[in-house]
Amino acid sequence: MEVDLSTQKLGRAHRPEKGQSASPLASCPTKAYLFSVLGGTHSGFSPLGPPTQGSSFLATLGWRTQSLQDCRCDSGWRQSTLNRYTKALRSRVAIFVAFNLCLAAGARGGEGPASAPEMVRLPCNPDQIAHYTAYRVRDPIRIDGQLNEQCWNAAPRSPRFGDIITGRPALYDTRASVLWDDQNLYVAFWVEEPNVKATLTSYGSPIYQNNDVEVFIAGRDAYYEFEINALNTVYEAFFIWEDAYDRGGFAQAPEFQRSNPKVKPFNGVGFTTHPRGPRLGSWAWQFPGLKTAVHVDGTLNNDADKDRGWTVELAFPWAGMKWLAKADARALPPKDGDVWRADFSRFNQYKAPPPDKDSGGWVWSRHGIWDSHIPECFPYLHFSTNDVMNVTAAKLRGDRMKRPEKPKC
């Protein structure tokens, strides 16, 4: 969302193509728009008055005053009729606006969070959001942070992370991969870092105050935030859209109840005008069965030498995602072809020197603003039941057939 967030686009009025005969509405774009988009029928239109009983109810809501004045197709209307409908315009416009807001709010579908009215512009470009195929693994992965299993070598890796705002390549290399089986969603990070540092050691500490990597997993009505530093210290939070809090059953769970001191209102970080409105954040919820591990390739908190970086290995059990899957009854584990939305990022306490405009936040897929809490900007995860080792072997065989030389590693 994430989740394919669909938006309903209301286009221009349908006008006859060149050479077609024009209807009574052909030269009046305002009326044609209402009839074609809102369901009106030309058969119920009378050029001498308002839409007749045979036309759509929506078409009786009226049109903008100026458009009525400018519409030459209605020369047959008596001025008194125009004045009569203009007088009632304010109430009709109010109904029209309310109805369209309901339409926009109801235009929901796909995977992940609900759709927003198109009139609100999100900071990311939907055409540039990353897509990734997550393949299955045959055997469970041992979570030790080493990332030395063959399946991780075979799994597709993300592109090098870019700046969360601009999308420009980041100072140091960061990449991620995703795999899964019937029990877990597995995530791996490769983090280049010349001086690996971490200081926070208590669960729930503000890990974003250290150098960290983060994972967000989105459902339709809620999303989960995970952060970890090089000391394997974890921070978690769970966010629920206010419009889904009661109908989604969240209010019945103690870890989400408003009376809980660890449950607080939340309205984003840099993007505080989200079209879906505010959220409720719970810092009382912990991901059941979560496994984490970190491996440092170097010496932690030692500036006397240079490090290669650190790697992170995570296992999120599907059984712990029931609150994310509940709203749209998505399968746990996913079925072949299912699509989820998840975000992968890295935040640093340093920035690249000028002239780079480094925000300090680097992501798999650009958000366009300093805010990770926008599920509509999360990459798409396409789940495949194909074994990752078989997919890789097939690809290598195909490469050998295309070119005789030995495939590069």
Side-chain angles (χ1 to χ4, degrees):
M1 140 314 241
E2 227 233 321
V3 171
D4 184 10
L5 302 174
S6 60
T7 54
Q8 185 171 357
K9 297 184 179 181
L10 301 181
R12 296 182 181 272
H14 297 292
R15 300 175 183 175
E17 299 293 335
K18 186 175 181 180
Q20 288 181 329
S21 59
S23 73
L25 301 180
S27 59
C28 187
T30 304
K31 290 184 181 178
Y33 171 82
L34 288 173
F35 274 96
S36 62
V37 176
L38 300 182
T41 58
H42 290 190
S43 60
F45 175 78
S46 170
L48 299 178
T52 61
Q53 191 173 6
S55 66
S56 167
F57 167 76
L58 291 177
T60 67
L61 296 178
W63 308 277
R64 292 185 294 120
T65 304
Q66 188 59 46
S67 293
L68 285 172
Q69 300 286 357
D70 293 342
C71 231
R72 295 295 178 259
C73 64
D74 299 321
S75 57
W77 279 21
R78 296 188 301 273
Q79 186 62 40
S80 59
T81 304
L82 180 59
N83 291 339
R84 178 160 52 92
Y85 278 91
T86 301
K87 185 176 180 179
L89 185 63
R90 289 184 179 179
S91 61
R92 293 179 177 183
V93 168
I95 298 172
F96 174 75
V97 171
F99 193 92
N100 274 277
L101 289 176
C102 289
L103 284 177
R108 296 179 178 178
E111 304 284 341
S115 303
E118 192 191 15
M119 67 186 73
V120 179
R121 184 180 296 275
L122 293 166
C124 55
N125 184 339
D127 296 330
Q128 297 177 354
I129 296 173
H131 289 253
Y132 179 88
T133 299
Y135 294 106
R136 279 181 61 94
V137 288
R138 186 182 305 111
D139 301 312
I141 298 176
R142 179 185 176 186
I143 305 301
D144 58 10
Q146 300 281 344
L147 303 184
N148 53 7
E149 293 88 352
Q150 290 184 353
C151 58
W152 285 128
N153 292 329
R157 291 195 190 182
S158 74
R160 181 179 179 132
F161 283 16
D163 190 273
I164 188 172
I165 299 175
T166 66
R168 296 183 61 182
L171 177 63
Y172 299 125
D173 195 17
T174 314
R175 299 176 192 264
S177 290
V178 180
L179 293 169
W180 66 288
D181 58 21
D182 285 344
Q183 286 72 45
N184 299 298
L185 174 72
Y186 300 104
V187 177
F189 285 92
W190 291 263
V191 183
E192 181 187 15
E193 189 99 71
N195 292 293
V196 181
K197 294 183 178 181
T199 58
L200 299 172
T201 57
S202 299
Y203 170 86
S205 297
I207 299 301
Y208 47 83
Q209 295 179 1
N210 278 179
N211 301 333
D212 76 351
V213 294
E214 305 183 5
V215 177
F216 284 66
I217 306 173
R220 193 188 73 180
D221 289 338
Y223 61 91
Y224 165 71
E225 176 183 7
F226 168 88
E227 302 179 7
I228 191 169
N229 67 4
L231 283 168
N232 199 26
T233 308
V234 170
Y235 166 100
E236 298 176 278
F238 194 93
F239 297 90
I240 304 160
W241 296 101
E242 282 277 10
D243 63 5
Y245 179 72
D246 290 316
R247 63 175 166 80
F250 297 99
Q252 308 305 316
E255 63 269 32
F256 299 137
Q257 290 179 356
R258 297 180 190 273
S259 58
N260 191 316
K262 292 186 177 181
V263 175
K264 303 175 184 178
F266 180 79
N267 196 31
V269 180
F271 184 58
T272 57
T273 56
H274 194 285
R276 197 167 176 185
R279 282 137 282 185
L280 202 64
S282 172
W283 285 263
W285 190 82
Q286 298 181 25
F287 203 112
L290 172 68
K291 294 181 180 180
T292 71
V294 172
H295 172 71
V296 176
D297 189 359
T299 54
L300 184 65
N301 296 325
N302 184 356
D303 292 340
D305 60 5
K306 292 297 180 182
D307 309 315
R308 291 185 177 86
W310 49 300
T311 50
V312 178
E313 196 167 25
L314 310 169
F316 298 97
W318 295 115
M321 299 193 198
K322 64 177 184 177
W323 284 112
L324 297 175
K326 182 180 179 182
D328 46 11
R330 63 182 67 178
L332 293 176
K335 297 179 181 178
D336 187 59
D338 281 1
V339 181
W340 286 51
R341 303 290 288 272
D343 199 49
F344 307 86
S345 55
R346 169 184 179 177
F347 287 86
N348 310 296
Q349 300 306 304
Y350 55 82
K351 299 179 181 180
D356 269 3
K357 296 181 179 179
D358 181 5
S359 68
W362 306 342
V363 295
W364 183 334
S365 195
R366 174 177 174 264
H367 286 213
I369 197 170
W370 181 262
D371 197 336
S372 295
H373 296 260
I374 312 173
E376 295 85 349
C377 299
F378 293 1
Y380 293 85
L381 292 184
H382 301 260
F383 288 94
S384 170
T385 53
N386 291 327
D387 187 291
V388 66
M389 300 306 298
N390 293 340
V391 171
T392 303
K395 182 178 183 302
L396 290 175
R397 286 196 298 270
D399 287 344
R400 291 190 185 102
M401 292 176 65
K402 291 178 184 177
R403 51 186 184 180
E405 69 268 19
K406 183 178 179 181
K408 295 181 180 179
C409 296

